Amino acid sequence: MPAFQQFSTNILEQFNTDIHHFISACQLPSPLHDATLYAMTNGGKRVRPLLVASTFAMLQPQTNITHAVRRAMMSVECLHGYSLVHDDLPCIDNDDLRRGRPTCHIVFGEATALLAGDVLQNLAFEAFSSDFFGDIANEQTKLLLATFAPRARRMVMGQMLDLNGENKTLNQQQLEAIHQDKTGALIEASVLMGAICANANPAQLQALENFAKNIGLAFQVQDDILDVIGNTEQLGKMAGSDEKLDKSTYVKLLGVEPAQQYAENLFQQAKQIIIDNFSAENLLLNLVEWLWQRQH
């Protein structure tokens, strides 16, 4: 996938520059600035921003990434960053390692990490109105915010459902209700915002929402599998953490091999939606292949 590799390299080079400048422009006091930047520059895969950009590029292949795309990429990654900082806190998952580095609260203390997460949640919404990304197209920005905001809320709801599911045996319907929100909501937002930036029509938006629902679940099933079969160095976080917290997972419910088959089926369904409604070769399909092959 050399075309996708080049595309993602170029996109993320600009995006990583945007992160530094966007956070620095806030003039946060020390050590809040350092903690916020640490949380956003610790080697993440940038799946959600890449979903925004790849969806846009599939629909507008001859158009350079716009200010609106950069705005959407920033909003979704800031919210994702906030969720990880807070997930890692002792009061939730109590994790010491994230992406191969000590978690934010281990480096900066719990209070500063809590505030860094708060700032990132605010920046996720501030990105829609900031002139950092150039002119704001009012109608398009309204659509982006209307797509993003309820899914941001759903992500938090999913975190609560996930905590409620600890030390319990859930059925598959209950498990999927958790992850359609906790993991799936931001993936839906990413895909749909990329489509809105490309002026997608209602039929395209519906197809892409169905695609995103499959990818969101597949991504979570994959995470559950990797937590069991991966190692700490490979994952960049403590392997076996789900079992330690007695979380409800697809591996716990189905077993490793059936969970792997389920994830593959979801990925294949997602790919077929794109092939049937768009084309058999595009950057969004390349991204799906990359996700299927990931090891962390």
Side-chain angles (χ1 to χ4, degrees):
M1 298 182 289
F4 175 73
Q5 291 171 349
Q6 186 61 56
F7 172 80
S8 61
T9 297
N10 293 342
I11 288 295
L12 294 184
E13 183 177 346
Q14 175 66 61
F15 182 68
N16 290 330
T17 298
D18 281 351
I19 286 173
H20 282 270
H21 290 167
F22 188 54
I23 292 175
S24 294
C26 296
Q27 298 182 323
L28 301 171
S30 181
L32 184 57
H33 172 271
D34 293 338
T36 304
L37 197 58
Y38 182 86
M40 287 290 285
T41 57
N42 62 351
K45 296 181 288 297
R46 309 295 193 201
V47 171
R48 291 150 192 84
L50 284 173
L51 279 167
V52 176
S54 297
T55 303
F56 175 85
M58 178 185 70
L59 294 170
Q60 297 281 355
Q62 304 304 319
T63 306
N64 291 331
I65 295 301
T66 65
H67 293 312
V69 173
R70 290 169 60 204
R71 194 183 300 280
M73 290 169 65
M74 184 63 67
S75 70
V76 76
E77 190 68 358
C78 281
L79 198 78
H80 179 55
Y82 134 76
S83 74
L84 298 183
V85 172
H86 280 198
D87 267 357
D88 290 338
L89 289 171
C91 61
I92 301 186
D93 286 348
N94 195 24
D95 277 324
D96 294 343
L97 201 63
R98 169 72 65 180
R99 296 167 176 165
R101 298 200 302 177
T103 47
C104 194
H105 70 274
I106 294 296
V107 177
F108 296 97
E110 288 182 40
T112 300
L114 179 70
L115 293 175
D118 291 343
V119 164
L120 287 170
Q121 185 186 46
N122 280 281
L123 288 179
F125 289 90
E126 190 174 333
F128 290 105
S129 61
S130 172
D131 60 7
F132 175 82
F133 299 101
D135 294 338
I136 300 171
N138 290 332
E139 289 306 313
Q140 190 177 74
T141 303
K142 286 179 185 177
L143 281 174
L144 290 171
L145 187 55
T147 299
F148 178 73
R151 288 173 173 83
R153 168 180 49 77
R154 281 176 49 200
M155 185 198 72
V156 179
M157 291 165 57
Q159 290 173 309
M160 187 74 256
L161 292 174
D162 189 42
L163 287 173
N164 290 346
E166 291 180 4
N167 305 306
K168 294 179 182 177
T169 300
L170 304 182
N171 61 37
Q172 190 162 344
Q173 183 178 11
Q174 292 169 318
L175 193 56
E176 293 191 353
I178 293 172
H179 295 300
Q180 282 169 347
D181 285 348
K182 184 184 178 186
T183 304
L186 276 195
I187 286 177
E188 283 178 36
S190 302
V191 172
L192 292 175
M193 286 197 295
I196 290 167
C197 290
N199 299 313
N201 63 45
Q204 290 173 326
L205 288 170
Q206 185 59 64
L208 287 166
E209 184 170 3
N210 293 337
F211 160 82
K213 288 181 186 300
N214 280 282
I215 287 296
L217 281 180
F219 193 86
Q220 182 59 51
V221 179
Q222 230 183 3
D223 268 359
D224 288 355
I225 295 164
L226 291 172
D227 187 71
V228 172
I229 69 174
N231 58 61
T232 297
E233 182 178 359
Q234 184 182 46
L235 296 175
K237 59 182 180 180
M238 293 303 297
S241 59
D242 290 341
E243 184 178 5
K244 179 186 71 174
L245 294 169
D246 197 16
K247 286 184 177 288
S248 295
T249 70
Y250 289 93
V251 172
K252 181 179 177 181
L253 179 68
L254 303 174
V256 173
E257 288 188 10
Q260 288 174 324
Q261 185 60 57
Y262 184 46
E264 183 172 5
N265 289 342
L266 288 166
F267 274 118
Q268 292 301 326
Q269 289 172 36
K271 287 172 61 178
Q272 198 60 50
I273 290 170
I274 299 301
I275 292 168
D276 290 345
N277 290 277
F278 301 98
S279 70
E281 180 55 44
N282 58 66
L283 290 167
L284 191 56
L285 280 176
N286 293 159
L287 177 54
V288 174
E289 291 291 348
W290 175 65
L291 289 175
W292 172 238
Q293 294 168 17
R294 74 187 177 103
Q295 297 297 315
H296 62 91

